[in-house]
Amino acid sequence: MNHFEYKDGELHAEGVRLSELANRIGTPFYVYSSATLERHFQVFSQALWGQEALKSPKGEAPLIAYAAKANSNLAVLQTLAEQGAGADTVSEGEIRKALMAGIPADKIVFSGVGKTDEEMAFALKTGIYQLNVESKPELERLSHVAGSLGLVAPLVIRVNPGVGAGGHAKITTGGAKDKFGVSAEEAIALYAQAASDPNLAPLGIACHIGSQISDLVPMQEAFSRMKGWVQELRAAGLSVERLDLGGGLGVPYFNQTEPPPPADFAEMVALTVGNLGLRYTFEPGRLISANAGIMISKVIHIHERESSGQKFLVVDAAMNDLMRPALYDAYHDIRPVVAPADPLKATYDVVGPICETGDTFTRGRTLPVARAGDLVAFMSAGAYGAVMANEYNSRPLIPEVLVREDKWAVIRPRPSYEEMMNREVLPEWLKPHSDKA
Ligand SMILES: *Cc1c(COP(=O)(O)O)cnc(C)c1O
């Protein structure tokens, strides 16, 4: 459920009329709903927090570490922080943003296959909850970095459970050939190595099998393998206190299999890996933010190819603003912002202005008949949208807006052309050609 609904024939974000917002700030832009972010976080968290079998021996409920990479705007992070969210981060920049948004260090997880020494040092000095170590060279560098700081690194080993799942090859991460994590045998050897290293505190194991998973079966399979490895480590005399089960639960992108409700997921988790005397962590990303955001764009014109009758709906947003369709053939529902009085429909290829064939949001989509100047909404754009945007074709980053009831605020402004160009610097051998553009 989200808070983007038609009222009096016009799409609103909570109490804010989107055509009004478009008049005020110009298109394209992203808009997020606070109520939807909060609701998604609460539905997922309450389902897991309600499972007795998932309480730690000290009575701690699972840590819900929102995967900041899905949408790391400070206002989004702070909205979630105020609901009790931790953060799963993949860079020093994300750790800094999480801290700035008020997420305490002891709720921050640091994941990723290529953490640098500087990033590890930063994470250790801030007193992070854990680093999710993904390889032997990383473990050895972490030991070195922790030793040189006189600190002990809290870590879990990311195991690749050999179960691939997810909507697309580019978002599957748990298959045996994907780059993430180590094999189970290697994990056990690394864990023992870490346990005998005074700079390292191995606390548990982690997995994240992919994204956009709409089937509990592969997850359950992966989790039950994780349980087996926890038992194997313990049988070898090693202490295991934590289990991180990753993110990846899918969200409805409107044309796909309905993902399981969080309550069913929580029940499956409790049955599969509950009551093991562990503190559990989950890292949902898109589940929290995807359907809490949309992108609003304006139709520039409609180009009808005379030979074939093929119609191109050319909009002012492009692949640099919302990369998911170009990157993973992702589906976004496209809706008119003002519900058309006319029931007439037409079939369009919806494209952006960028000089790449890949700059196509969808082909052959049947939509209400559109006209130049109409506003359209790309739904489910709150995760992996603004965070992936870039300025290809010298198109300034589009703004982000956060709505709360009938209030709205620009939470990342659109840079002016001047600001965009001022980030680039001429070397001294090239004299400024012109101060203005
Ligand atoms: C990307 C990622 C997540 C979040 O994935 P979603 O599909 O957005 O839920 C969680 N954990 C790790 C390690 C990730 O890389």
Side-chain angles (χ1 to χ4, degrees):
M1 194 206 132
N2 61 59
H3 293 77
F4 298 102
E5 281 162 4
Y6 288 93
K7 290 174 206 160
D8 304 322
E10 281 208 39
L11 193 61
H12 284 62
E14 303 189 27
V16 174
R17 200 154 60 91
L18 292 168
S19 62
E20 167 67 13
L21 201 48
N23 284 338
R24 296 285 292 277
I25 64 168
T27 54
F29 62 91
Y30 280 100
V31 53
Y32 311 131
S33 152
S34 300
T36 312
L37 287 167
E38 292 170 356
R39 186 190 141 82
H40 289 172
F41 181 79
Q42 286 303 332
V43 168
F44 186 73
S45 305
Q46 297 298 344
L48 292 159
W49 289 343
Q51 294 286 341
E52 274 311 307
L54 298 181
K55 294 251 155 68
S56 79
K58 287 190 211 147
E60 298 152 301
L63 171 63
I64 314 297
Y66 166 66
K69 74 177 192 282
N71 185 327
S72 58
N73 187 290
L74 287 170
V76 169
L77 294 180
Q78 189 161 333
T79 299
L80 294 170
E82 289 176 6
Q83 300 293 308
D88 174 49
T89 61
V90 291
S91 68
E92 179 173 334
E94 281 188 358
I95 299 171
R96 286 178 180 270
K97 285 182 117 181
L99 291 167
M100 180 160 282
I103 298 174
D106 65 4
K107 286 187 178 180
I108 299 177
V109 172
F110 188 17
S111 304
V113 298
K115 306 172 191 78
T116 66
D117 288 2
E118 293 76 15
E119 288 179 312
M120 288 176 177
F122 179 80
L124 291 172
K125 285 189 278 186
T126 60
I128 208 163
Y129 181 67
Q130 70 190 28
L131 290 97
N132 290 14
V133 170
E134 304 218 12
S135 65
K136 185 177 168 76
E138 186 188 346
L139 187 79
E140 289 168 356
R141 281 194 306 107
L142 181 60
S143 168
H144 184 77
V145 172
S148 68
L149 292 171
L151 296 170
V152 177
L155 67 98
V156 302
I157 304 280
R158 177 161 173 188
V159 192
N160 186 325
V163 177
H168 188 282
K170 285 188 184 154
I171 56 174
T172 299
T173 55
K177 287 191 177 153
D178 295 327
K179 71 175 176 179
F180 301 95
V182 297
S183 68
E185 304 80 72
E186 201 182 349
I188 289 163
L190 284 185
Y191 205 96
Q193 179 181 338
S196 64
D197 183 328
N199 303 325
L200 300 175
L203 300 171
I205 55 176
C207 69
H208 168 69
I209 64 169
S211 276
Q212 191 52 14
I213 299 171
S214 50
D215 182 359
L216 290 178
V217 174
M219 292 195 140
Q220 182 163 23
E221 175 60 34
F223 296 172
S224 75
R225 291 185 193 184
M226 295 295 283
K227 175 181 177 174
W229 296 321
V230 168
Q231 291 166 332
E232 207 172 311
L233 287 164
R234 286 177 169 166
L238 297 159
S239 150
V240 185
E241 298 165 34
R242 296 182 185 175
L243 183 61
D244 180 336
L245 296 170
L249 195 59
V251 299
Y253 281 103
F254 298 95
N255 68 335
Q256 290 153 332
T257 334
E258 275 288 312
D264 294 6
F265 172 75
E267 202 168 306
M268 176 279 279
V269 174
L271 286 172
T272 313
V273 293
N275 292 316
L276 288 178
L278 295 165
R279 173 96 197 272
Y280 299 85
T281 298
F282 298 87
E283 307 165 347
R286 84 184 61 231
L287 178 78
I288 308 295
S289 57
N291 283 329
I294 65 178
M295 181 182 71
I296 303 295
S297 178
K298 187 184 277 181
V299 176
I300 298 176
H301 55 229
I302 291 134
H303 163 55
E304 183 166 349
R305 188 164 281 160
E306 283 182 13
S307 52
S308 59
Q310 191 179 4
K311 293 190 186 73
F312 296 93
L313 193 67
V314 186
V315 297
D316 66 359
M319 64 187 283
N320 69 303
D321 305 311
L322 176 62
M323 260 175 99
R324 299 184 65 256
L327 194 59
Y328 352 89
D329 307 314
Y331 179 96
H332 288 272
D333 195 25
I334 300 172
R335 299 186 187 172
V337 168
V338 177
D342 194 339
L344 226 59
K345 302 223 181 228
T347 298
Y348 297 107
D349 287 7
V350 181
V351 302
I354 284 185
C355 312
E356 298 272 353
T357 306
D359 188 22
T360 297
F361 290 113
T362 184
R363 289 182 189 276
R365 183 85 61 92
T366 301
L367 296 169
V369 166
R371 282 176 201 82
D374 284 359
L375 295 171
V376 291
F378 289 79
M379 308 304 287
S380 315
Y384 308 106
V387 282
M388 283 192 185
N390 59 72
E391 293 184 336
Y392 185 41
N393 277 209
S394 294
R395 296 163 49 85
L397 284 181
I398 68 174
E400 296 172 270
V401 176
L402 182 65
V403 164
R404 166 160 231 109
E405 298 173 357
D406 56 3
K407 294 195 289 287
W408 59 270
V410 174
I411 56 174
R412 185 180 71 187
R414 189 191 312 274
S416 65
Y417 286 109
E418 198 181 20
E419 285 165 328
M420 188 174 79
M421 278 183 274
N422 282 345
R423 277 190 260 120
E424 297 175 13
V425 180
L426 287 182
E428 44 90 13
W429 62 86
L430 293 174
K431 295 252 182 306
H433 180 65
S434 159
D435 285 331
K436 47 183 182 290

